[in-house]
Amino acid sequence: QVQLVESGGELVQAGDSLRLSCAASPRTFSTYGMGWFRQAPGKEREFVAASSWRGSTYLADSVKGRFTISKDMAKKTLYLQMNSLNSEDTGVYYCAATKKPFYSGSNFPAEYWGQGTQVTVSS
């Protein structure tokens, strides 16, 4: 069973940094592609970042240069380091996993989702 548990969301000021975490079951972490999506109020869920099980990483254009996706293999945890946050980054951030192959972030074929963690950036 695939289990994804996000944490780290909170209320921050514009310009601040924040790190989100996604704890995954061991087999999920080592053999699945994993990613981050977000959903702002009144908007559709959108891709933010992804990491294939081989270690290739992808970032949405809107976060390049500010966000970084990484994995801690020992802790079986996926991270999203977010710097220079602005109000456009506000939303619920979801961790996702997939067993299917993908070759770009925008085509990440999410199959499993976490419950989400709220990030609010106050300007």
Side-chain angles (χ1 to χ4, degrees):
Q1 185 176 358
V2 176
Q3 292 184 320
L4 304 170
V5 181
E6 304 98 329
S7 62
E10 62 180 84
L11 171 64
V12 296
Q13 299 290 317
D16 284 354
S17 296
L18 195 61
R19 189 177 76 166
L20 304 183
S21 301
C22 173
S25 50
R27 201 167 93 173
T28 302
F29 199 75
S30 60
T31 61
Y32 282 61
M34 298 185 69
W36 290 97
F37 287 72
R38 67 187 180 188
Q39 187 166 19
K43 295 187 177 181
E44 293 186 356
R45 192 173 300 187
E46 64 174 0
F47 166 77
V48 176
S51 176
S52 72
W53 68 270
R54 293 180 181 270
S56 299
T57 59
Y58 307 87
L59 292 169
D61 288 343
S62 59
V63 305
K64 283 181 180 176
R66 300 188 300 123
F67 290 13
T68 304
I69 186 170
S70 63
K71 294 178 180 178
D72 186 323
M73 300 301 290
K75 295 182 178 180
K76 303 296 185 285
T77 301
L78 180 75
Y79 298 105
L80 183 67
Q81 177 66 44
M82 305 185 293
N83 299 327
S84 302
L85 286 162
N86 58 61
S87 58
E88 297 288 310
D89 298 315
T90 293
V92 179
Y93 282 69
Y94 297 91
C95 181
T98 183
K99 191 69 172 174
K100 300 176 181 179
F102 63 98
Y103 305 101
S104 70
S106 58
N107 291 323
F108 186 90
E111 298 177 272
Y112 306 95
W113 296 93
Q115 83 287 353
T117 185
Q118 176 71 46
V119 173
T120 303
V121 183
S122 175
S123 58

